[in-house]
């Protein structure tokens, strides 16, 4: 079995989780990930939602809708972050 030649969804997820206090960086990582055709999963969604809910509530609710429309599964963390962002708006 061959190892991935670059970052994969788990690498991006771990990095996003570690950088949650820097929401702009998390968004940059999401864009970079998607430009490499790596499909976000619910862990990625939760990290992005959590970071944006703290730093940019408006962006958080926008991303929630966008990720959901892309068919990315949401989990309790994503829903909680979206609700929290709505409360801050």
């Amino acid at each position: 079995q061959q190892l991935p030649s670059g970052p994969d969804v788990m690498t991006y997820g771990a990095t996003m989780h570690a950088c949650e206090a820097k929401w702009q960086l998390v968004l940059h990582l999401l864009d970079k990930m998607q430009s490499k055709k790596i499909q976000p999963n619910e862990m990625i969604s939760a990290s992005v939602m959590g970071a944006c809910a703290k730093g940019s509530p408006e962006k958080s609710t926008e991303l929630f809708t966008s990720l959901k429309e892309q068919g990315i599964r949401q989990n309790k963390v994503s829903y909680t972050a979206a609700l929290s962002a709505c409360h801050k708006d």
Side-chain angles (χ1 to χ4, degrees), residues 14-31:
T15 305
M16 288 176 179
H17 182 71
C19 299
E20 274 190 10
K22 298 180 179 180
W23 65 271
Q24 294 101 333
L25 177 57
V26 172
L27 288 179
H28 172 73
L29 290 169
L30 177 65
D31 288 340

Side-chain angles (χ1 to χ4, degrees), residues 11-88:
T11 307
Y12 278 105
T15 305
M16 288 176 179
H17 182 71
C19 299
E20 274 190 10
K22 298 180 179 180
W23 65 271
Q24 294 101 333
L25 177 57
V26 172
L27 288 179
H28 172 73
L29 290 169
L30 177 65
D31 288 340
K32 189 167 182 89
M33 185 178 124
Q34 290 181 313
S35 74
K36 294 181 179 279
K37 307 290 186 229
I38 300 172
Q39 181 69 16
N41 61 18
E42 66 184 71
M43 182 180 86
I44 299 293
S45 179
S47 290
V48 171
M49 296 299 302
C52 288
K54 295 172 192 156
S56 177
E58 195 172 285
K59 187 70 173 170
S60 181
T61 54
E62 178 184 310
L63 276 169
F64 181 81
T65 302
S66 173
L67 292 171
K68 198 164 183 190
E69 286 173 353
Q70 292 175 46
I72 294 152
R73 234 177 116 187
Q74 305 298 313
N75 62 20
K76 290 179 195 176
V77 176
S78 302
Y79 279 101
T80 301
L83 288 170
S84 174
C86 289
H87 179 67
K88 292 177 184 177

